[in-house]
Amino acid sequence: MWLPPRTALGLQVDLKQCESKSGAAATVRFRDARSAVVTFLPGRQAASPTRAPTRALQQSRPGFVWIGLANFLDVASSVALLTQRQLSPRLQGQFEDVGFVAHLRDCNGITLELLQTTFQENFLPQPLPSNILRAYPVLGQAKFNISSPEDNLRLYRDLLGMRLLSTQPVPRFGFTLYFLAFCSAQPPQSDPVSLENREWLWQQPFTQVELQHWHTAPSVSTSQADGPSTAQPKPLPTRISLPAEGEQGFASIVLRGPRARLLILRERLTKAGFSVIPSASAAVNTALDEVGADVEFSTKDPDGRVVRFTVAEN
């Protein structure tokens, strides 16, 4: 899976040969080191186009939605320049009370959302960077569909220690968004539903996990530009779908931290009933003491997404 070429978006892409020798992994890094990175891995095959969708798959939503690029001062200007480069971005504009956005697909069909730092009503023209994107973007959000807010908040907020910074109900479209992050920053309002927290959040350099829960049938077309839908409401999805083993798609969320922190999280998750699987390197170092042992491991969130924990002392 690859983003549009580096020359198209002007992002820093580091290539590294994979251990399997099946190709090079591409890690996309951002100018602000507080942002997370995105790594694309080779060798995963696309799902078979001849496989007939089952009833269960028809009533599901994809576990991974899109990559959100934030810190755009003027999304419309960025879209104009990307259009000149024939990348076919779509300017959606102000979406409800969520944000001013545009969307772009890479060559694998992965959606990138471009998110403006202000709502349309608060936009003020200002000097922009002279680079390709007219912005210094960060990985603002990794967006996932979820089946249960309670179960996922228990993991990401209560067990892993992420802060719930914003809760954004979007009743016309039948879903609610939850934004969580590892951070010490204080939002303007303590109530996560507050509108005031939203533009503040779009201006932050750190990456958020965005959880989308569909709970009622939308009353309008999800394209918004088409106006109210005349079609009969579709039944709500009953499950979250993820790629089968070996298929192209989302692989895992990777969280990095000091060894001491990983030990705490591993014990906490085990006591909470989550299956904790040691990494391959940890499995061969079980004879070492706690200080020297490799403590890296993985688990799965309530919808089956793999969450990997790796050591980063700095």
Side-chain angles (χ1 to χ4, degrees):
M1 303 193 313
W2 304 95
L3 283 169
R6 174 179 177 177
T7 53
L9 296 184
L11 301 175
Q12 177 184 342
V13 180
D14 299 336
L15 300 179
K16 181 179 180 181
Q17 186 68 33
C18 292
E19 293 180 2
S20 64
K21 306 300 182 183
S22 59
T27 297
V28 181
R29 303 184 186 278
F30 300 88
R31 182 179 182 181
D32 195 314
R34 291 170 290 183
S35 168
V37 302
V38 183
T39 298
F40 294 86
L41 303 173
R44 296 179 67 88
Q45 297 181 352
S48 171
T50 59
R51 185 177 62 183
T54 64
R55 180 176 178 83
L57 287 175
Q58 289 174 332
Q59 295 181 347
S60 67
R61 289 190 182 273
F64 171 72
V65 182
W66 63 47
I67 296 169
L69 302 180
N71 200 38
F72 285 81
L73 300 175
D74 185 348
V75 161
S77 292
S78 298
V79 165
L81 194 60
L82 291 173
T83 300
Q84 293 177 14
R85 291 176 170 267
Q86 301 181 335
L87 290 176
S88 303
R90 182 174 66 89
L91 180 63
Q92 184 168 0
Q94 182 66 39
F95 176 73
E96 301 294 292
D97 289 326
V98 177
F100 190 92
V101 298
H103 296 97
L104 171 72
R105 286 185 181 272
D106 77 358
C107 56
N108 295 284
I110 299 171
T111 298
L112 310 177
E113 180 177 72
L114 313 184
L115 178 59
Q116 192 165 281
T117 53
T118 59
F119 289 173
Q120 184 176 21
E121 64 185 24
N122 296 326
F123 171 75
L124 293 174
Q126 53 187 302
L128 301 175
S130 58
N131 59 7
I132 293 173
L133 286 173
R134 294 293 186 265
Y136 295 121
V138 296
L139 175 57
Q141 298 81 29
K143 183 174 183 178
F144 306 99
N145 280 317
I146 58 172
S147 58
S148 168
E150 293 78 13
D151 291 345
N152 280 275
L153 289 176
R154 175 174 176 259
L155 171 63
Y156 291 104
R157 179 190 60 191
D158 302 338
L159 295 175
L160 299 186
M162 285 185 167
R163 296 186 60 190
L164 177 60
L165 299 170
S166 183
T167 301
Q168 304 183 11
V170 189
R172 281 213 311 150
F173 290 84
F175 62 78
T176 297
L177 303 172
Y178 303 86
F179 296 84
L180 303 99
F182 292 111
C183 69
S184 58
Q186 295 289 338
Q189 300 296 328
S190 59
D191 182 1
V193 181
S194 172
L195 287 176
E196 193 175 345
N197 288 356
R198 301 181 184 184
E199 287 180 297
W200 171 85
L201 189 57
W202 311 152
Q203 298 167 23
Q204 301 307 308
F206 50 76
T207 301
Q208 305 119 45
V209 169
E210 178 182 357
L211 305 177
Q212 181 174 34
H213 177 235
W214 297 83
H215 44 76
T216 60
S219 59
V220 297
S221 166
T222 52
S223 69
Q224 193 179 44
D226 299 330
S229 173
T230 58
Q232 292 296 319
K234 295 181 179 180
L236 288 177
T238 57
R239 66 187 292 273
I240 300 300
S241 64
L242 294 168
E245 182 67 27
E247 286 185 354
Q248 179 177 326
F250 169 80
S252 65
I253 300 170
V254 180
L255 303 177
R256 306 186 68 198
R259 290 175 180 269
R261 181 61 179 167
L262 264 60
L263 284 169
I264 293 172
L265 292 178
R266 187 175 66 180
E267 181 180 7
R268 187 180 296 171
L269 290 168
T270 300
K271 288 182 177 179
F274 284 83
S275 176
V276 172
I277 303 173
S279 68
S281 55
V284 299
N285 283 292
T286 52
L288 301 179
D289 59 27
E290 281 194 349
V291 175
D294 190 330
V295 298
E296 297 182 347
F297 65 93
S298 66
T299 189
K300 290 185 177 180
D301 77 3
D303 292 306
R305 282 171 289 261
V306 175
V307 184
R308 294 174 50 212
F309 297 80
T310 66
V311 173
E313 295 295 352
N314 295 326

